Amino acid sequence: MSTTLETTTTRLLMLHSTCCYFHDTLHAVCELESHPLFSGFEFHHVLVAPGTCTYEYQLPSPNDVHCRKINGKALDYLRKFRGVVHLLENILQKPPFDSASLTIESLDTLIYKDIGLWAAVKPSVAAYLQWENTAVRLRTVSGSEWNCIKEFLCAAAKYIDAYETLLKQIKPTHCILFNGYFYRERVMVEVCRRHGVNVLAVERSTFADLKHVSQTGVVGNRNDWALLGADWGQTRRLNSLQKKQLDSFMRCKFSGVNNFIPQPIRTKGLRERLRIGKSKKVVVFFGQVPHDSVLAINDSELWNMPRAVSHLLELFALKLPEVILVIRLHPGGEVSSLRVDHMATILSKTKLPDNVRVIAGISENTHDLMKLAHVAMTVSSQAGLEFLWLHKPLIHLGDAYYGNKGLTWDVKTEADLEAALKLTLQCSTLSPLQCQRIDVFLFGLIFEYLVPFSRSKGVFTDAGCMMIANMLSGRARLFRS
């Protein structure tokens, strides 16, 4: 096999900003430059300086070993575009862009250089203001919140001009960035799309030794794997060796070997600790990262976290009093210095029905809860993906990339949720066909789509580098064999 690919015309713009917080991802992306497969590529590293209006991940020191390949030059010329910002500020002082008449529809008309500013900044606005749903919150937006939104919108125009200058200077064929939803990355994705530049978004997966590298330019629930149709894998079967390989991998995951979110050691006696009788059936609801961008980008008024939890509390109190509901909030939310999990705060001050338990932080192992559950629910958490391996019913409320593919009970209304819960609780085992399709989906995701990464070395493996090189070359399939 050749050790290099003919890629003399491939120029990569490596955008580093938010991803600096996730050192393993930053380091792995930077180290691509030293791999022989990329010897014919041009690498242009750009570190974006922190702004004044967006919520920030702490940037490491320029002397940090993980930043050694970044050229260190911030985009100083971002400050040269104040005229555009002043013009936007004047527009935003007039209807329909004032807090009294603010609507989603009026925001969607704010276009700059063919880029919808609101679509570009919405996930970051939600994170900064701790909104789970912008469509609902904009109806009662305060003056201070509107001022914050204006800052995001005005800064986005500044970044658009700066990024266009950058593209003209470098003339990249591809841009590689982190996640694709965070503020600077999100704006860059939109600018690249406008100019025909391909974008790869890199992000951790729920499996510590595998990463998402998405050719859609974003990850979450809009990655390449989400594009698979509902009929994908229907005719495929795993052979005995593939099934053994999948089960071995997932057993390691459940034992804590392949987690990047800390979990306590698995212990017995969970029912006793949660005061759940032996005969009681249990439903576990998996929460999301606080102010999750993948939820904010969709603006579902029905199935955002506060709405879902509120409805579940009422439903289990009135209609399912003999069933125990365990609300498992995201284990990273409570301990994050970046995002306060206000759902944990709200629930700690709420009088809960007798059949409801709430678990926040890392007081209990999530996989112990999965084993305990007869049925699980989620909006779109990756925990739901892991739960599927147990071949138990999963009720899916949102648009997870594993949802709407025949693997889950996909619920669109509150009335449907009650019916789905009663049905799955009556028969909490899946059909052989459902189990087979789940196994095929998981096997394809884990062993063919996600990109292998070495935690011990902090780099993509040779197989992972080959996958990324193939994506950049545009001449080979995405999936590894």
Side-chain angles (χ1 to χ4, degrees), residues 274-275 312-314 316-317 323-327 347 352-358:
L274 296 182
R275 297 173 287 106
L312 287 171
L313 292 180
E314 181 179 356
F316 275 77
V323 180
I324 302 297
L325 170 65
V326 178
I327 300 173
L347 288 169
L352 301 174
D354 292 339
N355 60 333
V356 174
R357 313 286 187 266
V358 175

Side-chain angles (χ1 to χ4, degrees), residues 126-186:
Y128 188 81
L129 295 177
Q130 299 186 11
W131 288 359
E132 297 287 354
N133 183 271
T134 56
V136 173
R137 295 298 294 270
L138 282 171
R139 296 170 188 163
T140 57
V141 65
S142 68
S144 61
E145 289 171 331
W146 176 226
N147 288 334
C148 175
I149 293 171
K150 287 193 293 185
E151 286 189 57
F152 274 92
L153 293 167
C154 292
K158 179 171 65 173
Y159 276 109
I160 288 170
D161 278 332
Y163 286 158
E164 287 197 332
T165 300
L166 194 66
L167 296 188
K168 289 177 182 177
Q169 291 175 351
I170 297 176
K171 297 181 176 60
T173 57
H174 296 77
C175 176
I176 299 181
L177 45 74
F178 179 77
N179 186 280
Y181 284 115
F182 296 130
Y183 187 69
R184 295 181 189 81
E185 291 84 353
R186 178 69 180 158

Side-chain angles (χ1 to χ4, degrees), residues 39-90:
S39 61
F41 291 69
E42 291 182 23
F43 283 78
H44 299 267
H45 295 274
V46 176
L47 176 62
V48 184
T52 58
C53 73
T54 60
Y55 87 109
E56 296 296 336
Y57 291 97
Q58 183 179 358
L59 294 175
S61 163
N63 297 322
D64 192 295
V65 65
H66 299 296
C67 296
R68 65 183 183 273
K69 287 186 177 293
I70 299 177
N71 62 20
K73 293 182 179 179
L75 297 179
D76 293 330
Y77 48 79
L78 285 173
R79 305 185 183 92
K80 297 178 182 178
F81 299 97
R82 288 299 303 172
V84 175
V85 177
H86 287 153
L87 174 62
L88 270 175
E89 287 171 347
N90 292 333

